[in-house]
Amino acid sequence: MNKFSTYNQSVTYWKQYQKFFPEEMQVNENHLPTEEWMTWNNLHIHLDRMPVPHAKLKIVFIHGAGGNGRLLAPYARILQKYGYEVVSPDLPPYGLSYTNSVKLLDYQLWIDILIELIDRELKRDGKPIILLGTSIGGMLAYHTAAQSKRVKGLIATTFVDTSDSKVRDQLAPNKLISRLGKFFMDKFPFLLDSLHISVNNVSRMKLITNNVEMTKLIMNDAHAAGTKIPLRLLRTFLNMKPVIKPENFDVCPVLLVHPQLDPMTPYSFSKPFFDNIKCRKEYVILEGAGHFPIEQRGLEQMNAAVLSFLKTVENEL
């Protein structure tokens, strides 16, 4: 992969996802994201941008462990339609992003990439930033907001707090991998950190959607769940603790739009963390929706809740 690769020209797998979304959300040749590259510290970060020149807010859209920025394009298109600019990065090694120093890849680096992106976007045009994270991207958005302190809102579909062993057990295929696997990664990082493993082998990726056909597509996508990640990234993800505990978090308002029928990360696993968040917050349960929401009723509720939240933030600013 090189920095001249693009989804719009050389990578077309993402087109197979479009049929699972309502027509008004589908992305095709008539309304593609513009593609950019952010080069920073030997990293080449691919960005999908849904531009809106006079937008009052800008959303940084953060994918999860089985995704990439282009997978989120249908959701971004709705936000663009309503006047909000969206920037969706691929976090390496996902999507088209890459680095020549694979040994550097860890969870804190993901946070640092997002903080750098926020700083560059604010310098670019000053539009206030909202973070929107799906799947583990929700918790990643929280960590980023806590460390950056430069965002005006936080939206998540789940809050996966891996400092809780019960949450780690839920994410892993079984307790043997969750507990014994983590023990060995923590005990022998010098031996294991550089090893690469498919995300499908260390998570319940079979539960990423409630649609069998789409789940297979995501799992077989070499730029999404088919990606192999270094164990250093997994180890540091499982060991990450918030620098600001939720009971002390007052950086920005928070919206949780949690799928109702999410077997991968049920609401009961997000609820304790969300309940402890100090700042102004609200949550909406997306009726009938799976972990990666594509169901009509859930999508309608998610779009309504997100747009209402953004309008409130916009009015307050």
Side-chain angles (χ1 to χ4, degrees), residues 2 36 41 54 62 70 108 139 144 158 179 186 207 212 214-215 217-218 235 249 251 255 265 273 284 305 314 317:
N2 62 70
E36 304 171 9
N41 283 3
H54 303 294
I62 307 171
R70 182 55 62 94
Q108 181 59 48
M139 199 67 203
T144 302
T158 67
R179 302 197 177 186
D186 290 342
L207 305 177
V212 174
M214 188 173 187
T215 295
L217 280 175
I218 294 174
R235 175 178 62 83
F249 183 85
V251 174
L255 169 65
T265 53
F273 190 89
V284 174
E314 184 180 329
L317 293 175

Side-chain angles (χ1 to χ4, degrees), residues 228-248:
K228 289 188 176 181
I229 62 169
L231 287 182
R232 176 185 173 91
L233 177 58
L234 178 60
R235 175 178 62 83
T236 52
F237 162 67
L238 294 175
N239 285 316
M240 177 57 69
K241 296 180 180 179
V243 296
I244 301 177
K245 292 182 179 179
E247 54 267 31
N248 297 322

Side-chain angles (χ1 to χ4, degrees), residues 245-301:
K245 292 182 179 179
E247 54 267 31
N248 297 322
F249 183 85
D250 59 357
V251 174
C252 62
V254 173
L255 169 65
L256 176 63
V257 281
H258 204 293
Q260 179 188 37
L261 304 179
D262 179 357
M264 194 176 195
T265 53
Y267 176 65
S268 59
F269 286 86
S270 294
K271 187 177 186 298
F273 190 89
F274 177 78
D275 285 348
N276 284 331
I277 292 176
K278 172 187 178 183
C279 64
R280 191 181 85 238
K281 61 188 178 183
E282 56 184 300
Y283 77 93
V284 174
I285 299 298
L286 309 180
E287 296 174 15
H291 182 78
F292 189 85
I294 56 173
E295 296 80 4
Q296 183 71 33
R297 178 61 178 152
L299 286 175
E300 291 172 354
Q301 293 175 326

